[in-house]
Amino acid sequence: MDETPQAHGPARPARVLLAEDQGMMRGALALLLGMEEDIEVVAQVATGDAIVEAVLAHRPHVALLDIELPGRSGLDAAAELRERAPDCRVLILTTFGRPGYLRRAMEAGAAGFLVKDGPVEELAGTIRRVLAGETVIDPALAAAALSAGPNPLTPRECDVLAAAADGATVADIAAALHLSESTVRNYLSAAIGKTGTRNRAEALGEARRQGWI
């Protein structure tokens, strides 16, 4: 990985990768960040599946990732980047300030988490701060995450709930996850109970609202 801009001699521009599926938003961010003298956008991707390959190819100092992307999520990509490109700092920028997303981002090794309604000057400043070794989190979201508490669902319950989307039957879920139908029913029942909902559709909705899946 390239040395960070602060490593030696005159500061070099911070190399940034953007992962954002909305073309207009991605272009606007690239344009605005490119106006900063010490920031250079070296790559842009529109899907989660393209993130890791682009980071390995372009060697950015910071990967600016949306969460909800076509293919894999930005959080899943962040976890892989921690293993394959540990010198690349990950900054999550999302529309959805959900406490569960913040916890998952920190577990994936993200250095920062911001919501998209802030000014670009704040984003540029955050890029500089994470490059300086800081961890930067939206204050309101940090407070919400602390008050919300941890995710009560186990990883397997999250998997089963996620697989229940789009009207999948118990048999469909069992086949997709290589589980027995009775095991799937047990996981769904546990998830419904833990989310305080009445059925799996409501449980899935609540888990998504909280950012647990």
Side-chain angles (χ1 to χ4, degrees):
M1 180 70 69
D2 291 342
E3 294 176 348
T4 60
Q6 296 82 3
H8 298 289
R12 291 178 296 150
R15 296 169 59 83
V16 175
L17 173 141
L18 295 178
E20 164 64 55
D21 62 323
Q22 297 182 27
M24 186 175 294
M25 171 68 75
R26 188 173 65 252
L29 282 174
L31 179 62
L32 291 170
L33 289 175
M35 295 173 68
E36 302 288 327
E37 292 185 357
D38 58 343
I39 295 175
E40 178 186 6
V41 177
V42 296
Q44 302 178 44
V45 299
T47 68
D49 296 329
I51 291 171
V52 174
E53 181 179 352
V55 167
L56 295 176
H58 296 279
R59 297 294 179 180
H61 301 116
V62 177
L64 185 59
L65 310 182
D66 194 1
I67 292 179
E68 297 190 357
L69 294 165
R72 71 190 314 199
S73 75
L75 295 175
D76 290 337
E80 184 174 349
L81 288 176
R82 180 175 54 183
E83 302 298 325
R84 300 186 63 187
D87 292 337
C88 179
R89 303 280 279 173
V90 171
L91 178 57
I92 299 295
L93 181 66
T94 181
T95 303
F96 304 103
R98 295 169 179 166
Y101 278 169
L102 173 57
R103 288 180 177 273
R104 290 167 60 195
M106 295 301 101
E107 290 169 0
F113 194 109
L114 295 177
V115 291
K116 290 181 181 177
D117 59 0
V120 71
E121 293 82 4
E122 179 182 347
L123 176 57
T126 298
I127 290 172
R128 299 181 185 106
R129 290 172 64 188
V130 298
L131 278 174
E134 295 184 45
T135 297
V136 184
I137 300 171
D138 180 90
L141 184 56
L146 287 174
S147 64
N151 178 1
L153 303 174
T154 67
R156 210 51 170 153
E157 288 164 357
C158 288
D159 290 343
V160 169
L161 268 187
D166 301 323
T169 66
V170 169
D172 293 334
I173 299 168
L177 299 179
H178 307 291
L179 299 171
S180 70
E181 293 187 20
S182 62
T183 299
V184 168
R185 290 191 182 93
N186 289 338
Y187 280 133
L188 288 173
S189 178
I192 291 168
K194 290 179 179 180
T195 54
T197 53
R198 296 173 296 180
N199 53 57
R200 65 179 184 174
E202 289 184 3
L204 176 61
E206 177 64 11
R208 283 178 168 169
R209 187 180 71 81
Q210 293 290 347
W212 294 332
I213 61 174

